[in-house]
Amino acid sequence: MKFTINRTAFISQLNNVLRAISSKTTIPILTGLKMVIDKEQIVLTGSNSDITIESVINAADPDYGLTVEQPGAIVLPARFFSEIVKKLPDKQVTIEVTDGFQADITSGTAKFQINGQDAENFPHLPEVETDRTITLPNDVLKEVIRQTVIAVSKQESRPILAGIHITLHDGLLTAVATDSHRLAQRKVQLEDVSGIDFDVIIPGKSMNELSGMISDVDEDVKVQVTENQILFIFGNTHFYSRLLEGNYPETSQLIPEMADTTMEVDAGSFLASIERASLLSHESRNDVVKLTLKPSENLVRISSDSPDIGTVEEEVATNALDGADLEISFNPNYMKDALRSFGQSAIKISFTSPLRPFTLVPTEDQENFVHLITPVRTF
């Protein structure tokens, strides 16, 4: 096996595949990067069992300057190999594999020799053969992930909550995540998906990695689903993720339909107020912020205290305030995460009672995105 390639372009593809490679794995060969070379292309593969990323470098693409002298395949130690390539002195790098799976890496006056492994021992990619393919606009997929992944559970006690529940039915894509303390739900109406339905739970970690990768490309993302795998195709990259097995809890009945008190605020300015209040709440053992709403006086106040540090109190500017007077306490970190997911839009927050979950929705699009937070009992 022997090929020469533009080093900078090669590094960009190595970085993509490295996202899937973990140094902590029970399968030693998965710490390696698989390379399969033929006359037309190089296929790079990295996997950690949960996600697998495959990147194709095409010889026809002039950006890569790829010339293949001899096809072949090898698995090289991923982190070590990528660090070598990044530090090589020349614009071009030549990689040649001799007998015994030994790779010679040459660039300018530098030459490395590292030991590889037989590519036949690398786990084979899952076969995703399906005619159920949908296409999602890049920016829509990024937004759906950003707005829901924050509510994915970090606890291992309920593994099913570590994923985002995504369903497609009658053209309506619904993504839901909850850690039992908060919930995020986003809906998107899709076109040209007639006859395609699915119901899957994708690990939050996979979605975070995917979000980081599609930020670097502009094109739409193709999605294919099978029984235990989901495949996202964009650019020259295939991103596979395993699916979580089990039934996701029914969440639709958790979202209250009625409200006794509502307020409308600008998400950005309200976030700044919560961040100031949480400076003290983080120093307190229970870490809560209290929100006092008095529509009768057109007053909204945030307050928090720490026995060791002191107190903070701030009046909040609102765009609208209606209903009954209310005092409610909550975890400020949950509120900050929720507010960031709305960006700079105006939002409506609806309350029913001091101990019932409350909802946040964008005032412009109240049907398709909702965030729910469970309050904290302080008495």
Side-chain angles (χ1 to χ4, degrees), residues 337-376:
D337 285 346
L339 291 170
R340 288 189 189 109
S341 72
F342 289 97
Q344 294 300 315
S345 61
I347 61 167
K348 179 181 180 181
I349 309 179
S350 302
F351 306 89
T352 52
S353 78
L355 296 179
R356 294 287 306 279
F358 58 92
T359 61
L360 300 84
V361 297
T363 54
E364 296 294 314
D365 185 13
Q366 300 186 24
E367 298 298 315
N368 291 323
F369 180 39
V370 60
H371 204 103
L372 178 143
I373 298 175
T374 302
V376 176

Side-chain angles (χ1 to χ4, degrees), residues 79-91:
R79 306 288 169 189
F80 193 52
F81 175 64
S82 67
E83 285 302 316
I84 288 173
V85 175
K86 287 173 186 175
K87 290 182 167 57
L88 290 172
D90 203 30
K91 290 182 179 179

Side-chain angles (χ1 to χ4, degrees), residues 220-331:
D220 294 346
V221 180
K222 291 181 180 177
V223 185
Q224 297 179 349
V225 179
T226 60
E227 191 173 332
N228 56 8
Q229 291 279 336
I230 187 165
L231 168 61
F232 298 89
I233 304 169
F234 48 96
N236 57 351
T237 301
H238 285 55
F239 182 103
Y240 298 80
S241 172
R242 73 178 178 94
L243 298 173
L244 296 179
E245 295 180 9
N247 295 317
Y248 203 82
E250 178 57 50
T251 56
S252 57
Q253 78 275 13
L254 298 175
I255 301 169
E257 295 181 359
M258 305 295 289
D260 294 331
T261 310
T262 62
M263 63 182 278
E264 293 184 14
V265 292
D266 292 317
S269 60
F270 192 46
L271 172 60
S273 298
I274 297 291
E275 286 178 331
R276 286 189 286 272
S278 66
L279 290 173
L280 263 68
S281 75
H282 290 338
E283 298 299 321
S284 175
R285 193 171 68 247
N286 56 8
D287 192 12
V288 296
V289 164
K290 184 167 77 173
L291 187 64
T292 304
L293 300 99
K294 294 185 176 180
S296 56
E297 302 175 22
N298 198 33
L299 174 71
V300 175
R301 182 188 300 121
I302 294 174
S303 58
S304 182
D305 65 81
S306 164
D308 298 328
I309 306 295
T311 63
V312 58
E313 195 172 276
E314 180 176 337
E315 289 192 15
V316 176
T318 60
N319 301 332
L321 182 62
D322 295 294
D325 291 0
L326 177 78
E327 280 192 357
I328 193 165
S329 298
F330 51 83
N331 181 319

Side-chain angles (χ1 to χ4, degrees), residues 179-197:
D179 60 5
S180 74
H181 300 293
R182 53 181 166 172
L183 177 146
Q185 176 180 280
R186 176 66 197 274
K187 296 180 179 180
V188 180
Q189 189 67 48
L190 301 179
E191 297 178 1
D192 303 323
V193 292
S194 58
I196 300 178
D197 288 6

Side-chain angles (χ1 to χ4, degrees), residues 142-161:
K142 273 190 295 193
E143 191 172 69
V144 168
I145 296 172
R146 179 178 63 85
Q147 292 178 332
T148 55
V149 76
I150 52 175
V152 164
S153 175
K154 308 290 192 298
Q155 305 298 320
E156 296 181 2
S157 54
R158 295 187 68 186
I160 203 76
L161 297 185

Side-chain angles (χ1 to χ4, degrees), residues 53-127:
I53 298 173
E54 183 182 84
S55 214
V56 179
I57 298 172
N58 201 307
D61 189 332
D63 290 344
Y64 294 107
L66 173 62
T67 55
V68 178
E69 291 185 38
Q70 187 178 352
I74 193 168
V75 176
L76 296 174
R79 306 288 169 189
F80 193 52
F81 175 64
S82 67
E83 285 302 316
I84 288 173
V85 175
K86 287 173 186 175
K87 290 182 167 57
L88 290 172
D90 203 30
K91 290 182 179 179
Q92 300 286 325
V93 55
T94 299
I95 298 166
E96 182 176 8
V97 175
T98 54
D99 295 338
F101 304 108
Q102 199 170 59
D104 294 337
I105 305 164
T106 309
S107 177
T109 55
K111 182 176 180 179
F112 284 83
Q113 199 171 65
I114 60 174
N115 298 322
Q117 298 178 70
D118 188 347
E120 287 297 315
N121 296 330
F122 198 88
H124 290 288
L125 274 177
E127 292 291 329

Side-chain angles (χ1 to χ4, degrees), residues 14-73:
L14 286 177
N15 287 340
N16 271 346
V17 175
L18 282 172
R19 288 174 179 268
I21 300 173
S22 171
S23 56
K24 299 174 184 175
T25 175
T26 55
I27 307 171
I29 200 167
L30 289 186
T31 62
L33 165 79
K34 179 182 176 184
M35 289 196 296
V36 178
I37 294 94
D38 61 32
K39 287 294 184 183
E40 282 80 40
Q41 63 185 21
I42 299 175
V43 180
L44 305 176
T45 306
S47 179
N48 64 5
S49 296
D50 287 337
I51 64 173
T52 300
I53 298 173
E54 183 182 84
S55 214
V56 179
I57 298 172
N58 201 307
D61 189 332
D63 290 344
Y64 294 107
L66 173 62
T67 55
V68 178
E69 291 185 38
Q70 187 178 352

